[in-house]
Amino acid sequence: MKRVRADLHIHSVISPCADLEMSPANIVARAVQMGLQLIAVTDHNSTLHGPLTRRLALKSGIYCLYGAEINTREEIHCLCLVDTEEQRLALQAFLEQNIIHIPNNPDIFGYQVVVNEQEEIEQEIDYLLHAAVNKSIDEVAEFINSIQGLFIPAHVDRPKYSVTSQLGFVPPTLQFDALEISRNTSVDAFKAANPLKPGTVFIRNSDAHFINQIGTQYTDYCLDEISFNGLKAALSGWGGAGVYPFQ
Ligand SMILES: [Zn+2]
Ligand SMILES: [Zn+2]
């Protein structure tokens, strides 16, 4: 078992609100500098920078999961993490089929660009990725479960775009692998204010939109291997894997 530092909520230049410096190459370089061994690029409703970021991460000796931050019909942000190209393509197809298509105005919302290793623009997404998908949080959770992904409601304590801001509580029937908490509260304070299933696992990430935010918030995991399955075991508490407690 090893102690592995991970930041699983990082936005790239595909996200309209992310800084244009957030290229896969810059993200990986900063992640290495910050001592991260496991990262995930989770753009708003897009997985398109996953493959390039993983390739660059592997060259630098760290691992990058595929993922997206899905905005559900209720406007709840949820981290969805997967590992194989087949899962990523299924997730990307789900997003493209279900997002409510609103044209993006880059002057107002920001640019949404896919870049290559040389940071040249390869594609610009013309519909607004920050829009919601036409699926409820339960439907998104069910879909992610069906492709064996990890489903983690994001920044659950925040006053906007969170399960508590939109629903007022964490539904007891919601299927999730962990809850992501922001740095604005503690696990104990959140638990005190919200009834939760026993054994609910919390993680913390940076939600970086700028390079200098990467790795400023993170979670340490006890893993037998740095991989998707290793992370899954840690979130499930299997075989001695786990999440190091934090405040
Ligand atoms: Zn968010
Ligand atoms: Zn985010």
Side-chain angles (χ1 to χ4, degrees):
M1 288 287 173
K2 47 193 154 208
R3 186 169 183 135
V4 173
R5 185 154 293 184
D7 182 356
L8 304 177
H9 187 164
I10 298 172
H11 291 270
S12 81
V13 281
I14 290 178
S15 292
C17 41
D19 192 67
L20 285 173
E21 299 254 294
M22 292 296 264
S23 64
N26 286 341
I27 289 171
V28 169
R30 184 65 175 174
V32 170
Q33 262 180 14
M34 293 299 287
L36 299 171
Q37 293 144 289
L38 180 63
I39 60 171
V41 171
T42 51
D43 283 305
H44 292 294
N45 297 313
S46 177
T47 69
L48 293 179
H49 267 155
L52 173 58
T53 313
R54 176 174 291 181
R55 215 160 55 240
L56 297 174
L58 286 173
K59 276 195 212 168
S60 298
I62 67 174
Y63 195 61
C64 177
L65 301 171
Y66 296 152
E69 182 176 25
I70 300 187
N71 188 17
T72 72
R73 185 194 287 151
E74 307 91 340
E75 304 249 38
I76 301 169
H77 288 183
C78 299
L79 298 178
C80 302
L81 303 176
V82 295
D83 195 41
T84 67
E85 180 64 3
E86 191 184 355
Q87 287 171 308
R88 188 190 71 78
L89 289 172
L91 175 53
Q92 185 64 29
F94 175 85
L95 291 167
E96 289 176 12
Q97 278 157 21
N98 293 298
I99 194 165
I100 299 163
H101 281 252
I102 300 168
N104 183 36
N105 181 339
D107 293 333
I108 297 174
F109 299 112
Y111 287 92
Q112 306 181 141
V113 292
V114 180
V115 299
N116 62 20
E117 194 168 345
Q118 287 71 43
E119 305 194 348
E120 298 155 345
I121 294 175
E122 294 221 313
Q123 191 188 344
E124 189 168 348
I125 314 294
D126 60 4
Y127 58 92
L128 186 59
L129 288 169
H130 205 281
V133 297
N134 191 17
K135 294 282 180 191
S136 70
I137 187 169
D138 284 317
E139 289 170 323
V140 173
E142 192 181 325
F143 170 73
I144 298 301
N145 195 30
S146 78
I147 61 168
Q148 283 86 49
L150 295 170
F151 182 76
I152 303 169
H155 42 67
V156 290
D157 53 296
R158 282 212 193 141
K160 269 183 171 178
Y161 299 119
S162 77
V163 66
T164 56
S165 74
Q166 303 310 99
L167 302 181
F169 63 110
V170 181
T173 53
L174 182 64
Q175 295 294 316
F176 56 83
D177 296 283
L179 296 178
E180 183 200 55
I181 194 168
S182 83
R183 64 176 159 190
N184 302 329
T185 189
S186 68
V187 170
D188 288 345
F190 188 80
K191 278 183 178 169
N194 297 278
L196 296 169
K197 285 184 279 200
T200 296
V201 174
F202 285 88
I203 65 170
R204 188 173 270 155
N205 300 301
S206 70
D207 194 3
H209 287 68
F210 294 86
I211 286 291
N212 63 7
Q213 295 172 332
I214 294 170
T216 53
Q217 302 292 319
Y218 54 80
T219 303
D220 284 341
Y221 298 88
C222 178
L223 304 181
D224 65 343
E225 55 171 30
I226 302 175
S227 67
F228 179 84
N229 287 334
L231 176 68
K232 192 167 190 165
L235 296 178
S236 310
W238 293 334
V243 180
Y244 284 94
F246 57 87
Q247 266 314 296

